[in-house]
Amino acid sequence: MPLSEDEQRILSEIEAKLYESDPGLARDIADTTIYTHAYRNLKWGLLGFFAGLVMLVLTLQVAWYLSFAGFVVMLVSALTVERNTRRMGKAGLDQITQSMRAAGLRDYFGNTSSKMRDRFKRDE
């Protein structure tokens, strides 16, 4: 059921007041999608997988239990990647690849770093 003209006007006023009072929050809300959390966990899982692989290879001749620990890190990370990929589904992966194509990979990661800088500046 579509919103009436009056309801749309009220919603636009609320949105404008949000942008005036806290533009950082409004930007964060506009950039966040349903798949953001799963995508973040997916990135951490991939990073953990490669860290476990490096640990496995580097400690293979040192001690078998350290290599086994690297294998366990890889296994847990692979399960995390699989679970979050399923959670995102095809629609989530399509949305993320489309947004990365539209903004460009450098712009995408640059936006993330500027968000982190803004977040730390707010805490000070």
Side-chain angles (χ1 to χ4, degrees):
M1 175 158 117
L3 296 175
S4 69
E5 190 175 307
D6 189 42
E7 291 170 334
Q8 287 178 350
R9 182 186 52 78
I10 293 171
L11 190 60
S12 296
E13 289 175 4
I14 292 172
E15 184 178 358
K17 287 179 184 178
L18 177 64
Y19 275 105
E20 287 175 11
S21 65
D22 194 358
L25 176 64
R27 186 185 63 237
D28 288 345
I29 290 172
D31 291 344
T32 303
T33 64
I34 341 176
Y35 308 110
T36 305
H37 183 69
Y39 181 64
R40 188 178 314 122
N41 287 340
L42 184 70
K43 288 192 295 188
W44 280 110
L46 289 172
L47 181 70
F49 183 82
F50 289 116
L53 179 66
V54 167
M55 183 178 173
L56 176 77
V57 170
L58 292 179
T59 61
L60 197 57
Q61 291 184 349
V62 177
W64 66 270
Y65 52 87
L66 291 176
S67 296
F68 183 72
F71 173 74
V72 169
V73 168
M74 285 176 56
L75 180 66
V76 169
S77 297
L79 291 174
T80 301
V81 167
E82 187 270 336
R83 183 182 64 211
N84 285 295
T85 304
R86 283 183 187 265
R87 197 176 283 168
M88 287 176 62
K90 183 171 177 11
L93 292 175
D94 287 344
Q95 181 182 7
I96 287 174
T97 55
Q98 186 179 35
S99 68
M100 288 175 71
R101 273 190 222 128
L105 194 58
R106 181 176 297 161
D107 291 339
Y108 180 76
F109 287 114
N111 190 12
T112 305
S113 64
S114 67
K115 283 183 189 176
M116 290 300 289
R117 271 188 249 120
D118 291 345
R119 184 173 294 152
F120 285 120
K121 284 181 184 177
R122 273 190 255 154
D123 291 341
E124 291 176 354

